[in-house]
Amino acid sequence: MYSSKKQRPVFVYSVTIYDKLIKFPCFSYIFYDINPPEGFNLRRDVYMRYAIWLHKLQTNKNDSNLKKFKLVLPPWSHLYHWKYSEIPEHIPWALYFDIESLKRFAPVIEMYQFFDDYDVTYKKIEIDDVYILQHYQDMFETGKFEEKMSIEDCNEPIRVNYFYYNNITSNNVRCLSFHGYTSQLTSVLKNSTARSFLFDHAEVALHDMFGDKLYWKCRRSMRFNKELHEIAKKFREQELDANDKNDMTILPDDWRKEIPRRNAIGGSYLGIHLRRADFVRSRSKEIPTIENAFKQIKNKLEELKLDKVFVATDAPINEINEMRSLLEPKYALVTYKSEDWVKEKYKDGGIAIIEQIICSYARYFIGTYESTYSFRIQEEREILGFPAESTFNRLCYDGTESCSKPSIWKIVY
Ligand SMILES: C[C@@H]1O[C@H](OP(=O)(O)OP(=O)(O)OC[C@H]2O[C@@H](n3cnc4c(=O)[nH]c(N)nc43)[C@H](O)[C@@H]2O)[C@@H](O)[C@H](O)[C@@H]1O
């Protein structure tokens, strides 16, 4: 794990990484950052675009004239949906993900490990080349989308510091209007002698290929931190009477050993992701009221002959109680209540992941329309080998099941 001491570099004076990153002269570093309001699960998708790019750079023999790159994982700081007890907080990826598993796909390092790579006698880190990606305004106006990139005037004011560290900065910041796939950014690397690059607004670059074999390899490498899995497993066993052996949900320790299958059964409970919070305001016409959600849950429990529903939700307690009073006593509504140490150690992000895991292992899953939190559960269930019909379902806004189904993105090996 990480030590808080390692979170903030202490340096004495300023040099560029190109000049002084002396510990590992054969490496160059790629940083990326994302539009601040974006939530955790969209960020996971953006990570994949860059991990796939780095994977390709690492394996593509035609680009052997390029240096070796490391992808620096941006700490989880100031996420809009999370409450932080201490500000600024730089949460490393190891708190949520199995880093060794990520490394089996792409050459990633944590930010604090980058600080270790850096010569710590220097006060300030200056990233050699910063590119702020931005959309071509005219493409949205004309609807004519073509792949291109060009350095242009910036659409937004330029930031002075990066990643909420006031000693990470750059003297060379440019705005790159961009429409294309992430690996097309290779041309930026080829035309530069820099040893450190930051792509801000990284979400502007698209997936090279959404849903192909490489996409799924990368996705499979994104295993959660083992302890989070253990916590969810214990909860499933104790509160939902579910276990991997009976539910046919055992995966090999190494994602590279996974094989195609569709025989997962899942625990004898219905899994629901009921997204509320900001969605109640921003998507009121697309998500159900509590009563409408109840109708769909009850119908599905009847149809599947189940008597338990696990609800992952960011709803306030009064809404959960309302749902509970509608379902009980005939059906049990189970939610995850974290122990104090879990909340303290893993914070809001970890609790959300534990709930996602529990939904992933359910007999049947129903998510919330266009929530990336639900999308990630659907992917996890594809990896676990559930029949697609038990996964790609959404709560309809009107209490019926008649609304359109979510897009089905089946796993490819
Ligand atoms: C419209 C967009 O929707 C996006 O949200 P959407 O895709 O649902 O997906 P997320 O970005 O993951 O949701 C935002 C955060 O809300 C919390 N959250 C959501 N659902 C649950 C849940 O069931 N249980 C728990 N414990 N926490 C939950 C969690 O911290 C998660 O990272 C937003 O990130 C964007 O900023 C934007 O608002």
Side-chain angles (χ1 to χ4, degrees):
M1 203 49 59
Y2 68 108
S3 89
S4 56
K5 264 192 178 163
K6 284 194 165 176
Q7 297 306 296
R8 292 174 191 88
V10 183
F11 302 117
V12 185
Y13 59 89
S14 155
V15 288
T16 67
I17 293 174
Y18 181 66
D19 293 328
K20 291 291 177 191
L21 224 163
I22 47 174
K23 284 197 197 163
F24 301 100
C26 58
F27 282 113
S28 293
Y29 295 79
I30 293 182
F31 299 77
Y32 73 96
D33 206 355
I34 297 172
N35 186 26
E38 299 300 350
F40 184 72
N41 287 292
L42 189 273
R43 285 166 189 266
R44 286 174 64 187
D45 183 74
V46 176
Y47 160 78
M48 287 178 60
R49 304 176 206 179
Y50 287 77
I52 288 169
W53 178 31
L54 269 281
H55 173 92
K56 285 183 178 172
L57 284 177
Q58 199 177 34
T59 49
N60 191 345
K61 308 260 180 311
N62 297 334
D63 277 335
S64 55
N65 55 336
L66 276 170
K67 298 174 206 82
K68 287 189 173 136
F69 289 95
K70 291 188 186 186
L71 181 64
V72 184
L73 299 168
W76 302 102
S77 301
H78 289 261
L79 261 66
Y80 167 77
H81 304 88
W82 296 358
K83 292 171 217 81
Y84 291 83
S85 52
E86 184 198 316
I87 294 174
E89 180 103 56
H90 294 94
I91 300 177
W93 279 56
L95 196 67
Y96 299 134
F97 294 96
D98 178 343
I99 299 294
E100 288 314 306
S101 184
L102 298 182
K103 280 188 177 163
R104 288 181 195 126
F105 181 77
V108 298
I109 57 165
E110 297 268 21
M111 185 70 83
Y112 69 84
Q113 289 168 328
F114 168 76
F115 298 151
D116 286 345
D117 282 11
Y118 203 85
D119 189 327
V120 283
T121 50
Y122 300 104
K123 189 178 179 181
K124 217 154 81 175
I125 292 178
E126 285 178 9
I127 297 178
D128 296 333
D129 284 354
V130 172
Y131 292 95
I132 302 172
L133 304 188
Q134 57 188 20
H135 292 291
Y136 281 99
Q137 296 301 326
D138 58 322
M139 282 194 194
F140 288 100
E141 281 153 24
T142 61
K144 243 181 91 187
F145 292 96
E146 51 179 328
E147 288 161 29
K148 57 177 180 172
M149 66 178 98
S150 47
I151 300 292
E152 298 195 343
D153 289 341
C154 297
N155 296 340
E156 286 176 17
I158 289 176
R159 279 195 276 159
V160 180
N161 304 115
Y162 300 97
F163 306 108
Y164 299 96
Y165 287 107
N166 44 22
N167 50 4
I168 300 186
T169 182
S170 177
N171 284 327
N172 197 15
V173 184
R174 280 167 287 184
C175 289
L176 182 68
S177 295
F178 187 86
H179 185 76
Y181 308 103
T182 311
S183 62
Q184 288 172 325
L185 291 169
T186 304
S187 60
V188 173
L189 311 181
K190 279 184 174 161
N191 296 327
S192 171
T193 54
R195 294 221 15 231
S196 58
F197 302 84
L198 164 59
F199 297 94
D200 199 359
H201 278 284
E203 73 284 354
V204 169
L206 304 170
H207 270 287
D208 280 13
M209 181 63 81
F210 192 87
D212 67 350
K213 216 165 142 174
L214 202 55
Y215 171 96
W216 279 102
K217 270 191 177 179
C218 180
R219 180 63 185 79
R220 282 157 53 209
S221 74
M222 294 186 79
R223 293 243 177 131
F224 289 125
N225 167 322
K226 290 194 177 81
E227 192 174 45
L228 291 173
H229 262 293
E230 279 308 310
I231 296 166
K233 192 174 171 186
K234 204 167 128 202
F235 184 86
R236 283 162 50 224
E237 281 166 3
Q238 290 177 349
E239 308 294 329
L240 295 159
D241 200 19
N243 71 71
D244 286 336
K245 192 156 176 277
N246 293 347
D247 302 346
M248 309 271 286
T249 45
I250 296 174
L251 287 180
D253 284 344
D254 184 338
W255 61 267
R256 292 171 300 183
K257 300 210 173 99
E258 290 165 3
I259 47 164
R261 74 217 159 274
R262 286 275 171 203
N263 59 357
I265 300 169
S268 58
Y269 60 94
L270 175 63
I272 298 285
H273 175 223
L274 182 70
R275 182 80 159 83
R276 301 289 291 166
D278 48 327
F279 267 37
V280 176
R281 289 185 303 280
S282 63
R283 302 194 169 217
S284 58
K285 301 234 160 52
E286 287 143 6
I287 61 161
T289 59
I290 293 294
E291 208 185 327
N292 283 345
F294 152 74
K295 280 186 200 158
Q296 292 164 79
I297 292 170
K298 184 181 74 91
N299 289 345
K300 193 50 76 179
L301 286 166
E302 267 169 19
E303 182 194 319
L304 299 173
K305 300 194 175 24
L306 296 173
D307 58 10
K308 290 188 288 287
V309 55
F310 173 80
V311 180
T313 187
D314 54 358
I317 189 72
N318 62 315
E319 292 186 348
I320 300 168
N321 287 342
E322 186 186 341
M323 174 79 81
R324 184 171 276 121
S325 69
L326 292 166
L327 282 164
E328 287 180 355
K330 190 166 180 199
Y331 301 106
L333 184 152
V334 182
T335 52
Y336 174 69
K337 280 175 242 48
S338 61
E339 291 170 65
D340 288 349
W341 74 268
V342 176
K343 176 86 189 172
E344 202 168 303
K345 180 169 177 185
Y346 289 106
K347 310 173 200 298
D348 288 353
I351 309 290
I353 289 172
I354 292 167
E355 291 181 31
Q356 272 182 316
I357 298 173
I358 300 167
C359 280
S360 306
Y361 284 77
R363 178 85 31 99
Y364 193 95
F365 172 68
I366 310 179
T368 293
Y369 180 63
E370 284 191 353
S371 164
T372 54
Y373 184 104
S374 292
F375 293 160
R376 300 291 92 85
I377 295 171
Q378 291 165 352
E379 290 162 1
E380 214 67 41
R381 291 175 63 84
E382 281 294 284
I383 295 167
L384 282 162
F386 281 96
E389 315 77 74
S390 75
T391 291
F392 296 96
N393 307 293
R394 61 173 273 211
L395 292 166
C396 299
Y397 65 94
D398 63 355
T400 71
E401 271 194 63
S402 59
C403 61
S404 60
K405 288 266 176 195
S407 309
I408 298 178
W409 292 102
K410 287 193 186 173
I411 194 163
V412 177
Y413 288 90

